[in-house]
Amino acid sequence: MNNDILDVIYNEGERLIPFITHNEDEVIRHFSSYDFFAKIIKMDVENNNVEEADVLDVGFGCGYGCLILSKIPGIKQVTGIDVSYACKSYAQENYGARNIDFVVVDAGEYLAQKHPFGYITSRGVLEHIPNGLSLTKNSNYTQRLIIDVPYNEKPGNDHHIIVGIKEDAFQDYENYELFYEGLDGTIYDAANKPSDANMILCVASREGLPPVREMFDFPIQPVTIEYVKTEMLACSQDSILQFQNRYFSYKNPTDLLLAAEKAIQQVDVVLDVGPGIAPMNYFRPKFHILLEPFDEYVQILNHRFANDGSIFVISGTAQELMSSFAANSVDTVFLLDVIEHLHKEDGVNILSHAERVARKQIIVFTPLGFMPQTVHEGEKDGWGLGGASVQEHLSGWTPEDFGSGWDLHICETFHKFDFRNQLLNKEYGAFFAIKNFFGKPTPEPQSIPNIRKLLPSEIELEKVRVELMNTQAALVNTQHQLVNIQDELVNTQHQLQKISEHPVVRVLRKIRKVFKSPGF
């Protein structure tokens, strides 16, 4: 992963990337917190207080905390949430496991929805979220809520919305206990609060679970760097998940566009859905089908490519016509800046048809999430034409909307201006969803009847072909006869040679010489 993306994850020191950013002391503090979280959950499971459970980790960062929690026996699923696709990409590549799901979502919005989990954990995150403590206090956990935040932090960190958090911030939590983490990573109970308390930890437990302070002997010593490397971050080969989708993050639009260009195959037959007046121009295919619904755009395309036999313009909507294309009938389907102009159900249906129609690739480009774009009556579109009515955004898409087998190339800061070239109220991301097909099978027909009538020229050509075949056969036969005659001649020569060497012939040859001699 390149340094620009690591910078995005690092976020000016707010996220720890183990053994890449921060010093070893910070690594020990982070991992000692997660080690304490894991000890609590593991003890619950071992003492039969809890059977199988799932965990929500709020703010997974690089994903190492989710990996630690996922290895606890009895944990069937760990869901990590964070706001960054760069984090998701890094987490899946480095700390993914079969029972971990990394989800990109706003933590405040997600917690407000009160999804149920057995355990909810968070390490050094809630201070970044408005009402973060209140949201966790009211979250839907069935076993324990285990969180820590900076203790009595002074103002000065622009990333921290909540500062000065002390004991009274947790007084409304249900059945809560407080613990502290020192600067060296040691975990203390409330009765032995250290003078160098760096983090305050709150464990809120549902009724029936034993107090955490009675489950362990405090203080709990910090983990060692060796233990972090050999145990906490160790992955068994069968636990590693080969993710069905691959995520790639880019810091700026230029890097995203260059990466997409490299990923796009140059093929012969392209179906370009909703190109407007600007068909895709990554390469020039042998046959380029343009499926465009807006009549004014269709007229311009027809005029522009009137003398180009490689381009075929079809007037109609993808909703109406995609089902008419046969399976595996084109190499690549392009949907560039298209699906956000459709209702979600229509977009999903078109993607399904694209998977059926494409032989080699599907290329989708769309804003990251819903990017509002409305038009006013009589307003011109971005090309100065009358197509503003089809430029309104009707749906928002994220990489999670795509099924399995897609490569997701994501830039979280892409769109700064709207189609009027006016500055948006905030910057929106964008992403390419690319699906590759390898050896996609084409169904074989049961029979292929010859129903085409031959042309007269083809009939004459067939006669000539038959005559030529007959002549070639006769020539081969003559050649065989010639070979036989040559063989007979050689045999005759051999016989004559034998006769000439016979004793009788020799005697006759001598008598003949005598009769021919002078004086006889």
Side-chain angles (χ1 to χ4, degrees), residues 249-263:
S249 292
Y250 305 91
K251 189 174 182 180
N252 58 66
T254 300
D255 290 345
L256 170 67
L257 296 173
L258 288 174
E261 186 173 357
K262 290 180 181 178

Side-chain angles (χ1 to χ4, degrees), residues 270-276 278-280 288-293 301 314 316-322 325 330 332-339 341-342 346 350-351 353-354 357 362-365:
V270 164
L271 172 59
D272 198 348
V273 179
M280 81 86 197
H288 196 166
I289 306 168
L290 308 180
L291 178 54
E292 173 55 48
L301 292 171
I314 301 176
T317 68
Q319 298 94 308
E320 296 169 341
L321 299 178
M322 283 289 285
F325 283 82
V330 304
T332 300
V333 177
F334 280 86
L335 290 150
L336 306 179
D337 287 313
V338 171
I339 58 176
H341 300 283
L342 304 171
D346 289 334
I350 287 171
L351 288 173
H353 281 302
V357 170
I362 304 171
I363 312 294
V364 179
F365 179 71

Side-chain angles (χ1 to χ4, degrees), residues 390-431:
V390 294
Q391 297 300 327
E392 186 171 356
H393 288 182
L394 302 178
S395 61
W397 297 76
T398 67
E400 287 73 26
D401 288 319
F402 291 79
S404 62
W406 291 80
D407 288 345
L408 291 312
H409 299 262
I410 305 156
C411 178
E412 297 182 57
T413 54
F414 192 94
H415 294 287
K416 295 182 179 179
F417 301 91
D418 63 14
F419 75 95
R420 306 175 186 89
N421 205 31
Q422 295 178 355
L423 191 66
L424 293 164
N425 61 354
K426 73 170 188 176
E427 198 166 2
Y428 290 87
F431 69 99

Side-chain angles (χ1 to χ4, degrees), residues 42-284:
K42 183 179 179 182
M43 186 69 77
D44 281 345
V45 174
E46 288 180 351
N47 292 339
N48 297 317
N49 298 318
V50 175
E51 295 182 358
E52 285 191 343
D54 52 4
V55 180
L56 171 67
D57 188 40
V58 180
F60 63 77
C62 294
Y64 55 84
C66 290
L67 177 63
I68 293 167
L69 299 171
S70 74
K71 296 195 291 182
I72 301 171
I75 295 301
K76 61 181 180 180
Q77 180 70 32
V78 176
T79 300
I81 61 173
D82 207 298
V83 294
S84 171
Y85 279 100
C87 288
K88 176 169 183 169
S89 177
Y90 188 91
Q92 286 191 339
E93 182 177 348
N94 293 277
Y95 303 117
R98 297 183 186 278
N99 61 338
I100 300 177
D101 186 18
F102 296 110
V103 179
V104 178
V105 67
D106 180 86
E109 294 177 2
Y110 191 87
L111 288 170
Q113 295 170 6
K114 296 189 176 182
H115 299 280
F117 289 91
Y119 293 86
I120 296 178
T121 63
S122 181
R123 203 276 176 192
V125 173
L126 300 177
E127 65 272 17
H128 300 84
I129 304 172
N131 300 319
L133 294 178
S134 176
L135 288 169
T136 54
K137 178 187 69 175
N138 298 312
S139 57
N140 190 2
Y141 59 93
T142 59
Q143 306 299 333
R144 301 187 198 263
L145 169 70
I146 312 172
I147 59 176
D148 70 0
V149 291
Y151 179 67
N152 198 23
E153 182 185 21
K154 301 295 187 289
N157 187 329
D158 293 338
H159 295 281
H160 292 186
I161 297 173
I162 308 173
V163 295
I165 301 173
K166 299 179 70 174
E167 290 81 357
D168 58 357
F170 304 97
Q171 61 185 1
D172 294 330
Y173 280 63
E174 177 186 343
N175 194 26
Y176 75 96
E177 302 171 84
L178 297 180
F179 303 88
Y180 301 89
E181 183 179 63
L183 285 172
D184 66 347
T186 301
I187 306 295
Y188 299 86
D189 60 5
N192 297 284
K193 176 182 173 182
S195 59
D196 64 345
N198 180 54
M199 305 290 285
I200 183 168
L201 298 90
C202 175
V203 181
S205 306
R206 295 304 188 195
E207 186 176 351
L209 290 174
V212 172
R213 63 182 178 273
E214 297 177 1
M215 295 165 58
F216 305 98
D217 293 328
F218 290 91
I220 297 176
Q221 295 303 307
V223 299
T224 64
I225 290 296
E226 183 65 22
Y227 182 74
V228 169
K229 291 180 178 180
T230 60
E231 296 294 332
M232 300 184 77
L233 295 183
C235 295
S236 62
Q237 200 60 33
D238 63 355
S239 71
I240 298 174
L241 174 61
Q242 299 297 321
F243 287 92
Q244 294 179 314
N245 288 0
R246 299 189 300 171
Y247 289 77
F248 305 89
S249 292
Y250 305 91
K251 189 174 182 180
N252 58 66
T254 300
D255 290 345
L256 170 67
L257 296 173
L258 288 174
E261 186 173 357
K262 290 180 181 178
I264 293 172
Q265 301 176 32
Q266 295 194 22
V267 297
D268 294 333
V269 183
V270 164
L271 172 59
D272 198 348
V273 179
I277 62 171
M280 81 86 197
N281 61 355
Y282 289 100
F283 60 93
R284 184 175 176 82

